[in-house]
């Protein structure tokens, strides 16, 4: 009887170890990886800030903007991204139809953090495939407005959102699979540029 019990116990332990090995990811893959990000967004006007010049604020007609950003950098230790980016904006007013639209360009440093390994209050909030992660980030740089006179101001932004690692689902079920950090994401933030505060809403692709 004892021998049969011992054999059953060994079989259960071996089955559990085999299941764990099947679910784990390979530790041989690089932790740092060059990646690109591209995103599109809409930034509703929230208010002007600072002091108006002789001709008023740089954006004095309640201008909102739509834009596209492209970033290149390093995915560091799986959770972090640090890189540089450039972007283009189209400014237009939803409240004053007679306001002339303008174009602008941005140059900035982008840092984001996706804490996929962390837990909340000791409870792991991620599924075993780790497809989802919260996203937080900041940006700093400069903003150029192509008006009658070219205007340049600092740019600052903080944002948060959700990140979906769609590549993980394709690799599900493989033993010692390598993590695939390609993802889609959506963010909501607060940005300051051209003496104006915006509330940028963006969707992007990381690969």
């Amino acid at each position: 009887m004892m021998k049969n019990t011992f054999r059953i116990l060994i079989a259960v332990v071996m089955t559990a170890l085999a299941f764990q090995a099947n679910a784990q990811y390979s530790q041989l893959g690089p932790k740092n990886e060059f990646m690109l990000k591209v995103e599109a967004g809409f930034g509703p006007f929230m208010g002007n800030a600072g002091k108006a010049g002789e001709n008023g604020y740089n954006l004095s007609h309640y201008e909102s903007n739509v834009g596209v950003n492209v970033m290149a950098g390093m995915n560091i230790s799986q959770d972090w991204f640090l890189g540089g980016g450039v972007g283009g904006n189209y400014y237009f007013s939803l409240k004053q139809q007679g306001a002339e639209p303008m174009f602008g360009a941005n140059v900035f440093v982008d840092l984001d953090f996706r804490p996929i390994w962390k837990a909340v209050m000791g409870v792991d909030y991620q599924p075993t495939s780790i497809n989802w992660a919260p996203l937080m980030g900041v940006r700093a740089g400069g903003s150029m407005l192509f008006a009658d006179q070219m205007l340049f101001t600092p740019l600052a932004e903080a944002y948060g959102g959700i990140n979906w690692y769609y590549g993980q689902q394709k690799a599900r079920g493989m033993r010692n699979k390598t993590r695939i950090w390609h993802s889609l994401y959506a963010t909501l933030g607060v940005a300051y540029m051209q003496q104006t505060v915006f509330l940028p809403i963006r969707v992007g692709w990381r690969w």
Side-chain angles (χ1 to χ4, degrees):
M1 184 68 179
M2 289 294 296
K3 289 184 178 180
N4 291 336
T5 302
F6 185 68
R7 289 174 181 174
I8 293 174
L9 181 61
I10 291 178
V12 170
V13 171
M14 294 300 292
T15 302
L17 290 176
F19 177 78
Q20 181 179 2
N22 185 64
Q24 71 183 1
Y25 288 88
S26 172
Q27 301 299 315
L28 300 178
K31 290 187 176 181
N32 302 331
E33 181 182 359
F34 177 80
M35 301 203 82
L36 295 172
K37 292 167 61 177
V38 60
E39 62 187 24
F42 169 59
F45 173 90
M46 296 299 293
N48 293 121
K51 295 182 178 180
E54 295 181 359
N55 300 318
Y57 290 101
N58 294 358
L59 299 172
S60 57
H61 299 286
Y62 307 100
E63 285 93 340
S64 298
N65 69 73
V66 293
V68 176
N69 295 321
V70 178
M71 291 141 282
M74 291 297 297
N75 201 54
I76 304 170
S77 295
Q78 303 166 340
D79 294 347
W80 298 85
F81 174 86
L82 176 61
V86 295
N89 290 328
Y90 176 74
Y91 297 94
F92 60 98
S93 179
L94 295 172
K95 295 185 177 181
Q96 298 185 6
Q97 300 299 324
E100 184 178 352
M102 292 176 284
F103 290 92
N106 300 329
V107 178
F108 55 89
V109 174
D110 179 43
L111 172 67
D112 75 42
F113 176 50
R114 294 146 286 128
I116 61 171
W117 293 108
K118 306 301 182 288
V120 177
M121 301 298 292
V123 179
D124 186 3
Y125 61 87
Q126 295 294 341
T128 55
S129 55
I130 314 182
N131 289 323
W132 297 91
L135 171 64
M136 297 162 284
V138 292
R139 291 175 182 170
S143 171
M144 186 173 294
L145 182 66
F146 304 127
D148 294 336
Q149 294 182 349
M150 196 169 294
L151 303 171
F152 185 82
T153 69
L155 176 154
E157 180 178 342
Y159 59 89
I162 189 72
N163 190 88
W164 175 42
Y165 292 105
Y166 62 87
Q168 301 295 341
Q169 292 186 342
K170 296 179 181 179
R172 185 176 295 170
M174 296 172 59
R175 182 173 180 177
N176 290 329
K177 58 192 176 185
T178 300
R179 294 190 188 278
I180 302 172
W181 299 114
H182 301 179
S183 65
L184 300 173
Y185 60 88
T187 62
L188 173 65
V190 177
Y192 168 81
M193 57 186 175
Q194 297 301 328
Q195 299 179 302
T196 306
V197 178
F198 298 96
L199 192 70
I201 305 166
R202 297 194 177 100
V203 292
W205 180 30
R206 179 197 314 268
W207 80 99

